[in-house]
Every structure is written in C-alpha cells, then in structure tokens.
Amino acid sequence: MNKKMLYLFLILTFLMTGCWDREELDDISIVTGIAVDPGDEKKYRMTVEAIISSEFGKQSAQGNTPVVSYSLEGNSLSELSNKMNKGLTRKLVYSHTRVLYISEEVAREGLFGFLDFLDRSGQFRNDFNIMITKGNPASDFTKITYPTQKSPSLKVNTQAETFTEEWGGDPNVKLYDFISSIISKGKSPVAASLKIKGNAEAGKTVENNKALEPEALVVMDGMAVFNNDKMIGTLSLEETRNYLWTQELMQTSLSIPCGESDQANEYFLDARITMSKSNLEASYKNGTPQIKLSINGESRLQGIHCPRDLTKLDVFTDYEEKIEEYIKKEMISLITKVQDEHGVDIFGFGDALNRQNHKKFLEVQDQWDEEFAKAELDVYVDMHLMRSGIKNKSFNEDIKEKEKEN
C-alpha cells in the first residue's frame, strides 16, 4: 500500500512541475499603452504601444526604437485587441497596460462602447490610468519619446504619479475609479487630460531622446469632466489641484499675495502644504440642499517676499490666516464654477448625503446633479502654519536695513 502511494506521488510530482501556460518573453510583446481615436472608415481606430524587450536590456540594447506602435480600425476594441497581429508578429499581452489614451472627440461621444469590454476582459487589469488627449490624435501620445523613460506610456504613468505626489495636478483616475463613478448616483466621473507641447512629428523620433531640449513633450493639462460616460467640459491644471482638496491631496505649493494693495501684490508668500484632510457633508434645510467642505492640514513657509518680521507672533498668525483665506477663496470659486457651468457633482457630495442621510438621498438620487447645482455652499479651512523653514528672518530685511544705513 505504501509503495503504491509513493509511486502515485512521484507520478503526480512529474506531471505538476512547470507552468502549463508559460509564455516565453521572446514569444510575446508587452503592451504599455493603448490609444482610441475615431476611425476614418469604422467607429474606432485603436493604437497599441508594444515594447521591444531587447532595447530594455543593458547588454542587448542597440539604440534602436524601444517601442513599436500599430493601428487598426474597427467597430469594437474587443475585436481589434485580438486582430493586431495583422501587422505585428508576436502575441500581445495587455496585462501590463499603464495608460489608456482617449481622444477628446471619442470622449465627448461616450465611452460605453468599450468600457464594458475593458472591465469584463481578463486580458486587462483595472488599474491603468485613463487620460483624455487634447490637440493631437490619441495615437500620437504613444509615440513621443523621452530620454530617461524608453516607453512613452511608462513615462506618462510615472509622470502622473510624481506630479500627484509633488503638486497634485492629476486626479489619478483608474478604470475602476471611472466605472465606480458612473455607477454611483452621487458622484460624476473625471479623468486627467494631456496635450503635446512642441512638434509632435519630431517627438516621434529616436533623436528626440538625445536632444538637450526635446522637440516634443507630453504635459499634464488639467482634467475632463463627465456626465455619465460623456465628456462635457474641462478644468484647468490649477482647478484640478483644487479639486484634489476634496479628494486626497498629498502635497502642494501655494503662492499667495502679501496684501490687497497693488504694491502688496508685487510680493508673495510661498507656502508648502505638507498634509491635508477633507470632509464633505450634505444635508437639507427648509427643502434647500446644503453642501459643506471642511479642509484641515499643515503647512510651512518656503519663501517670503513680504516685508514683515516673522519673529512677531501676530505676523505669523496673519500669514496662517492668509493661507486659509486663499484656499477658501479658491475652493468656493471652483465648486461654484462646476455648479454653474457643468451642473454635475464631481466631488462626491451626493455620496456624502447617501452615507449621512440615506433616506433623503433615495428621494433625490435620480436628480442629484440638479440638486447639487442649486445647493448652498459653505467652506471651512483650518490650515496650521507649522514652520518657517530653517530661519525666521529673511535676508531681504538685512538688505533693507543696510540700505537705510547708507
């Protein structure tokens, strides 16, 4: 009996070794970026950016193009994703896709035509960035080279992450975020927007990688606002950063005028926001929707042009109040603009109402955007100014004292 079990175990061990579905790197091409444009003859033109793996190895790299792109037209991305070998040799693997570029024209027509495929398909992960392209076809964004990042889409992905951490200009919307916002009746979707700065055609060459000043760069350009799956407007880069105050803003920097007079506006207070938290509230008062945004955080001074003595407590307190007033003014301006111009709740006040008063939300959920557009707004900011850098007194004051002596 023991010998039979041993033989069975040995047989099973041999049968179960290895990966039955293993694919060698030399037999596949990893797709890092996908672009969707309107087609000339069909509904869509899909472009894939696939890595040339030999150019990413230290020993095998020869200075040739590190990626190759290929476009096909069709009526569904599902069909096109499996048809790319019409022009490409290796099997395409989409599980490492980092960016989905969607042209503004396609975004304004609606994304339902292919979002279900991306969400349903086992070929894709749902953590890639959704980016709306402006000014150039989406396919161009898969071809703009960059010296320190050989894949254009890996460059954009890293760029968006770093920009979010350092300043906060990217809403960091993944596929699952976008779909969740569409499903939600209390929050409308948004997506980052991009544009190409410079000569796009020159930026598609290997020589662009070798230039001290690249001929073309892909730059962040704010974000797009959606109503369900259709793009209805845009917000600037600064407005995008302000939008992130309501979501999750890691860090950012502010330049705040020292005072109200024309002379005072020549001087600026530079503040670094090192931490912030926000809280959204929604309620009803006498039948009128009320929305409230509270922002708490910490900041420090990065630079001071204002001709005032920081060693005095009242000056330090005044600077703290200026930071709070500036943030409050910016947030009132942004939320009011979205209410008046776009009429959709991209912030999530509806979701807040759903959590805080579910019964009331059920009454208004089908027309929440209309309720949001007419809601009365209250913004509260409490921003603590923790430090003034490594010194209190600015050398500007020493210069002024020396000028007085002379």
Side-chain angles (χ1 to χ4, degrees):
M1 184 69 178
N2 291 335
K3 288 184 178 180
K4 291 182 179 180
M5 293 295 293
L6 178 62
Y7 291 147
L8 178 61
F9 176 77
L10 290 174
I11 292 172
L12 290 175
T13 301
F14 283 114
L15 291 175
M16 295 177 66
T17 57
C19 300
W20 66 272
D21 61 345
R22 180 185 66 186
E23 292 178 309
E24 298 293 341
L25 188 60
D26 290 340
D27 298 329
I28 62 174
S29 288
I30 296 174
V31 175
T32 52
I34 298 173
V36 184
D37 289 294
D40 295 325
E41 299 179 358
K42 300 292 182 68
K43 188 173 183 179
Y44 301 117
R45 185 175 79 250
M46 177 177 171
T47 303
V48 295
E49 171 197 325
I51 284 177
I52 307 298
S53 56
S54 60
E55 288 300 316
F56 283 76
K58 293 182 179 180
Q59 303 297 327
S60 57
Q62 299 180 2
N64 297 321
T65 178
V67 297
V68 62
S69 65
Y70 182 65
S71 301
L72 273 181
E73 289 193 14
N75 293 319
S76 74
L77 265 59
S78 173
E79 175 195 8
L80 291 172
S81 65
N82 298 317
K83 195 179 177 181
M84 285 294 169
N85 289 110
K86 178 181 178 180
L88 301 177
T89 57
R90 298 179 178 180
K91 177 182 177 180
L92 298 182
V93 175
Y94 294 96
S95 57
H96 294 277
T97 301
R98 303 317 306 148
V99 184
L100 171 63
Y101 306 95
I102 303 172
S103 73
E104 183 174 348
E105 186 177 348
V106 171
R108 289 189 180 276
E109 290 180 357
L111 308 184
F112 276 147
F114 54 85
L115 281 182
D116 181 71
F117 159 66
L118 296 174
D119 185 45
R120 185 186 302 272
S121 173
Q123 301 179 66
F124 298 87
R125 298 176 184 174
N126 61 1
D127 61 348
F128 54 80
N129 290 85
I130 294 180
M131 304 282 195
I132 308 302
T133 63
K134 299 164 62 177
N136 293 77
S139 58
D140 284 354
F141 290 77
T142 66
K143 305 169 187 176
I144 304 299
T145 58
Y146 188 72
T148 60
Q149 195 75 288
K150 293 184 177 182
S151 164
S153 294
L154 292 181
K155 180 262 183 184
V156 169
N157 178 252
T158 304
Q159 173 184 350
E161 291 178 353
T162 306
F163 194 40
T164 299
E165 293 172 1
E166 293 298 314
W167 193 78
D170 171 36
N172 192 30
V173 175
K174 314 293 186 183
L175 177 65
Y176 55 80
D177 298 317
F178 196 90
I179 293 176
S180 296
S181 295
I182 291 178
I183 296 172
S184 169
K185 293 189 176 183
K187 185 179 182 181
S188 293
V190 297
S193 62
L194 303 172
K195 68 178 181 180
I196 295 174
K197 180 181 179 181
N199 185 341
E201 291 303 315
K204 299 176 184 178
T205 63
V206 176
E207 285 71 23
N208 192 53
N209 277 343
K210 303 175 182 179
L212 292 176
E213 185 176 352
E215 293 288 341
L217 276 175
V218 175
V219 298
M220 308 299 294
D221 192 48
M223 71 181 190
V225 177
F226 286 77
N227 185 359
N228 291 320
D229 70 315
K230 294 184 179 180
M231 176 180 168
I232 59 173
T234 61
L235 294 176
S236 70
L237 203 60
E238 285 72 22
E239 290 169 336
T240 301
R241 187 273 307 277
N242 293 339
Y243 162 80
L244 288 176
W245 284 110
T246 68
Q247 309 300 306
E248 184 180 359
L249 183 65
M250 298 181 186
Q251 299 183 106
T252 193
S253 297
L254 306 173
S255 293
I256 303 167
C258 291
E260 300 298 330
S261 66
D262 292 338
Q263 183 179 3
N265 283 331
E266 294 179 2
Y267 302 99
F268 290 88
L269 167 69
D270 299 328
R272 179 69 170 169
I273 307 301
T274 56
M275 185 278 290
S276 70
K277 292 183 179 180
S278 63
N279 182 55
L280 279 65
E281 299 177 34
S283 60
Y284 277 79
K285 183 178 180 180
N286 299 325
T288 303
Q290 312 282 321
I291 55 176
K292 180 180 179 180
L293 168 65
S294 300
I295 299 174
N296 299 274
E298 297 177 357
S299 62
R300 59 180 170 83
L301 295 179
Q302 282 191 312
I304 306 171
H305 306 161
C306 313
R308 300 180 67 183
D309 187 356
L310 247 186
T311 59
K312 296 181 179 179
L313 180 60
D314 61 328
V315 174
F316 204 84
T317 303
D318 183 55
Y319 286 164
E320 187 174 76
E321 291 176 355
K322 286 186 182 300
I323 294 172
E324 293 173 345
E325 291 170 1
Y326 181 85
I327 296 172
K328 181 177 180 179
K329 181 180 177 181
E330 291 288 298
M331 295 311 303
I332 291 174
S333 175
L334 171 63
I335 296 174
T336 302
K337 176 180 178 177
V338 173
Q339 286 178 305
D340 295 340
E341 297 185 11
H342 304 304
V344 292
D345 179 7
I346 62 175
F347 307 101
F349 287 105
D351 285 345
L353 179 63
N354 190 21
R355 295 190 300 270
Q356 296 157 10
N357 190 342
H358 179 65
K359 183 178 180 180
K360 182 62 179 179
F361 181 72
L362 291 177
E363 296 176 10
V364 300
Q365 63 178 346
D366 292 332
Q367 64 273 0
W368 171 247
D369 284 333
E370 290 82 355
E371 296 291 292
F372 164 76
K374 65 182 183 182
E376 295 180 355
L377 172 64
D378 181 27
V379 176
Y380 170 78
V381 180
D382 183 18
M383 191 62 59
H384 297 284
L385 185 56
M386 306 299 292
R387 297 184 298 278
S388 59
I390 60 174
K391 61 186 300 184
N392 287 325
K393 193 175 181 180
S394 171
F395 70 87
N396 287 329
E397 296 180 33
D398 295 331
I399 295 174
K400 290 173 184 176
E401 290 177 4
K402 185 175 181 181
E403 290 175 347
K404 289 179 181 179
E405 293 176 358
N406 294 334

